[in-house]
C-alpha cells in the first residue's frame, strides 16, 4: 500500500525557517517524481515544487529562491526547506507522487500545517 | 502560465440527481487534464486523468469529457459521500507548471 506521511509543520515567526519531511512507503520511491503542494486556509490547491529521482527540480515561479526541495532515495524521503517565511505561506503542505506516465498526482499524504505568525 | 477556471463556484444538487461541473483552460491542454475530489480536512483524491479515464477504484458514476480548453466532470447520480470540493488540474506545461482551478463546491440541495 502506498503511503506518504508528512511531518515538520508548526508555528513559526515571519522570517523564520522550517523543514518539512515526507516519508514514503509501499512503492519504489527512487522511480518517481515527487511533489509538494500547499493549500492556504479556505483556498485552493497550489503546486509548489517537484523533483525527479536524478536530481532535476522545478519550482513555482513565485517561490523560487525561498523554498528548496530535496530528496534522499536511500531513506525514501522528500523534504521542503522553507526560508524567509511570510504570513501568506500559512497553509497545509502536502506531498504527492506524480504518476509514472503523466503529470497528474495519484497518491497524496494527509498534509502538515504550517502557520506563520508573530 | 495556463489559467484554469471552474464553474460554478458552488453547485447545489439533490441526492440521486446528476451534477455537471465545468473547467476551462486559458489555452489548449489537449487531454492533459485531471479531476480531484477533496473532502473537508482530507487530502485531494484523484478521480479522473487524461480528461476521461477513471482512476483506480473510482465509481462508474464519475465521468470526464472534453479536450483542448473545455472539460466537464459529470456525476450521474449523486450519493451522500460525493458532496465535496472538486478541482481540475492541467499538466500540459513544460517545464512543469501544474495549475488548478479554484474549485467547485458541490453541496446538498
Amino acid at each position: 500500500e502506498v503511503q506518504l506521511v508528512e511531518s515538520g509543520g508548526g508555528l513559526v515567526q515571519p522570517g523564520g525557517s522550517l523543514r518539512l519531511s515526507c516519508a514514503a512507503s509501499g512503492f519504489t520511491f527512487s522511480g518517481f517524481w515527487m511533489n509538494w503542494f500547499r493549500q492556504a486556509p479556505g483556498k485552493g490547491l497550489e503546486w509548489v515544487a517537484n523533483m525527479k529521482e536524478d536530481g532535476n527540480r522545478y519550482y513555482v515561479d513565485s517561490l523560487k529562491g525561498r523554498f528548496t526541495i530535496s530528496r534522499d532515495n536511500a531513506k525514501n524521503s522528500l523534504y521542503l526547506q522553507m526560508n524567509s517565511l511570510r504570513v501568506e505561506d500559512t497553509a497545509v503542505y502536502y506531498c504527492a507522487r506524480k504518476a509514472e506516465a503523466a503529470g497528474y498526482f495519484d497518491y497524496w499524504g494527509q498534509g502538515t500545517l504550517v502557520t506563520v505568525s508573530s | 502560465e495556463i489559467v484554469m477556471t471552474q464553474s460554478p463556484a458552488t453547485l447545489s444538487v439533490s441526492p440521486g440527481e446528476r451534477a455537471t461541473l465545468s473547467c476551462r483552460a486559458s489555452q489548449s491542454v489537449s487531454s492533459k487534464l485531471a479531476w480531484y475530489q477533496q473532502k473537508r480536512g482530507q487530502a485531494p483524491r484523484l478521480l479522473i486523468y487524461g480528461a476521461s479515464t477513471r482512476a483506480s477504484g473510482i465509481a462508474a458514476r464519475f465521468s470526464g469529457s472534453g479536450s483542448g480548453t473545455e472539460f466537464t466532470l459529470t456525476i450521474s447520480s449523486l450519493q451522500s459521500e460525493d458532496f465535496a470540493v472538486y478541482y481540475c488540474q492541467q499538466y500540459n506545461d513544460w517545464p512543469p507548471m501544474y495549475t488548478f482551478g479554484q474549485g467547485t463546491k458541490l453541496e446538498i440541495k
Side-chain angles (χ1 to χ4, degrees):
Chain A
E1 179 193 5
V2 172
Q3 285 197 336
L4 299 170
V5 180
E6 301 94 337
S7 61
L11 176 63
V12 60
Q13 291 189 338
S17 297
L18 211 55
R19 188 194 196 208
L20 306 182
S21 300
C22 172
S25 60
F27 66 102
T28 305
F29 180 75
S30 60
F32 288 83
W33 286 80
M34 294 299 297
N35 296 258
W36 287 103
F37 295 82
R38 67 181 183 179
Q39 186 170 36
K43 302 298 184 182
L45 296 161
E46 180 183 33
W47 173 74
V48 170
N50 70 3
M51 188 169 181
K52 194 178 177 183
E53 62 275 13
D54 64 1
N56 280 344
R57 62 196 83 186
Y58 297 93
Y59 299 89
V60 66
D61 287 344
S62 60
L63 294 175
K64 283 180 185 175
R66 291 198 300 125
F67 287 16
T68 302
I69 189 172
S70 62
R71 63 192 290 166
D72 185 335
N73 290 332
K75 294 183 178 180
N76 291 341
S77 292
L78 180 73
Y79 306 101
L80 186 68
Q81 177 68 42
M82 303 185 296
N83 297 330
S84 302
L85 283 162
R86 305 168 181 170
V87 171
E88 55 266 33
D89 295 320
T90 294
V92 175
Y93 285 74
Y94 295 100
C95 71
R97 188 183 84 169
K98 188 181 80 65
E100 276 187 286
Y104 56 90
F105 306 98
D106 53 2
Y107 289 94
W108 297 67
Q110 85 289 349
T112 187
L113 176 62
V114 172
T115 303
V116 185
S117 175
S118 55
Chain B
E1 175 183 324
I2 299 175
V3 177
M4 307 301 292
T5 303
Q6 291 184 241
S7 61
T10 303
L11 183 61
S12 299
V13 183
S14 299
E17 292 189 341
R18 173 188 297 256
T20 302
L21 289 66
S22 297
C23 175
R24 173 177 291 179
S26 60
Q27 64 189 74
S28 176
V29 298
S30 185
S31 294
K32 296 181 179 178
L33 190 284
W35 289 95
Y36 301 85
Q37 177 193 66
Q38 188 178 34
K39 297 180 180 179
R40 183 179 296 274
Q42 296 185 16
R45 178 174 71 141
L46 176 68
L47 297 176
I48 301 284
Y49 62 90
S52 61
T53 303
R54 275 190 304 277
S56 176
I58 301 303
R61 64 181 181 274
F62 291 91
S63 62
S65 63
S67 65
T69 62
E70 301 284 343
F71 300 89
T72 300
L73 174 69
T74 301
I75 311 171
S76 59
S77 178
L78 279 163
Q79 307 298 303
S80 58
E81 62 266 30
D82 299 336
F83 293 96
V85 179
Y86 291 82
Y87 294 96
C88 61
Q89 175 240 327
Q90 66 79 21
Y91 48 97
N92 192 56
D93 261 345
W94 188 264
M97 181 56 67
Y98 306 113
T99 50
F100 293 82
Q102 78 281 17
T104 290
K105 182 180 180 181
L106 183 56
E107 63 178 28
I108 300 174
K109 187 174 182 179

